[in-house]
Amino acid sequence: MEVLGDLIMRPRPAWLVGCVLAQTLLLTSCTSDDNPASEPTASPTSTRRSTDAETEKKLTKEVQSALDSVTDQGSSMVESGVERVSEGVHTQPDLAEGATYKVSVVCAGKGDAEIVFTPTVAASKKPVVCDGTLVFQRFVAKDSLQIDVKGKPGATGMIAWRINEV
């Protein structure tokens, strides 16, 4: 018992006592907190992503509905899709050379886009306003035709497109 008394009564350096107390305080403060204000909240980035996804979903429905409301009697669809304006549409459809087709495009969002044919057909470029208005262009297919719908700088939203044989 005498040895234990010597250990308890022996003076300790102040820095050692401070270190032990600091560790105890840190462990205590990190282990429990019932304060609801410390609950994790959605970050502005995750909230923005959620809002962007909801907006994309809404705009996708709008452009698909606008495109579907215009039906071509007696024509057959070659291909179609929905894309983000920022990504654009890029397709090299398998078309019968010399046959007549129509590409229909609807853009909803903000800004402008344009339909670009490579190599040039009828009109090499056709403007598309991202206001939900249907735009179409008839053309005669050439060998290895590429059709792009490109958003202009700052344009956002969704593009629905369809190619039909006329």
Side-chain angles (χ1 to χ4, degrees):
M1 198 66 157
E2 200 172 299
V3 172
L4 184 59
D6 283 346
L7 286 176
I8 294 174
M9 300 306 280
R10 183 182 305 159
R12 305 274 181 233
W15 62 269
L16 182 60
V17 174
C19 287
V20 171
L21 287 174
Q23 287 177 353
T24 305
L25 288 173
L26 286 173
L27 285 174
T28 304
S29 66
C30 291
T31 57
S32 173
D33 188 2
D34 294 332
N35 183 357
S38 68
E39 293 295 317
T41 58
S43 71
T45 303
S46 66
T47 302
R48 188 176 332 110
R49 282 188 199 131
S50 173
T51 302
D52 289 348
E54 291 170 11
T55 300
E56 277 186 9
K57 190 174 181 179
K58 177 181 171 254
L59 292 175
T60 297
K61 286 181 182 179
E62 284 180 31
V63 293
Q64 284 179 325
S65 177
L67 195 58
D68 290 343
S69 70
V70 180
T71 57
D72 291 349
Q73 300 298 329
S75 66
S76 65
M77 183 185 71
V78 176
E79 61 183 54
S80 67
V82 177
E83 312 293 338
R84 290 181 184 97
V85 174
S86 61
E87 295 172 5
V89 174
H90 311 285
T91 184
Q92 287 185 296
D94 186 24
L95 305 175
E97 189 171 352
T100 302
Y101 295 89
K102 178 172 82 171
V103 62
S104 302
V105 177
V106 178
C107 181
K110 296 178 184 172
D112 298 314
E114 64 184 357
I115 304 169
V116 180
F117 295 90
T118 309
T120 303
V121 296
S124 64
K125 294 182 180 182
K126 177 122 182 165
V128 178
V129 179
C130 292
D131 63 358
T133 303
L134 178 70
V135 175
F136 68 91
Q137 178 68 50
R138 289 179 184 260
F139 61 95
V140 176
K142 293 185 177 182
D143 188 34
S144 72
L145 177 70
Q146 180 163 332
I147 302 172
D148 297 298
V149 182
K150 301 176 181 180
K152 296 207 175 176
T156 61
M158 300 301 288
I159 299 170
W161 59 280
R162 180 181 301 145
I163 300 172
N164 289 82
E165 186 173 3
V166 179

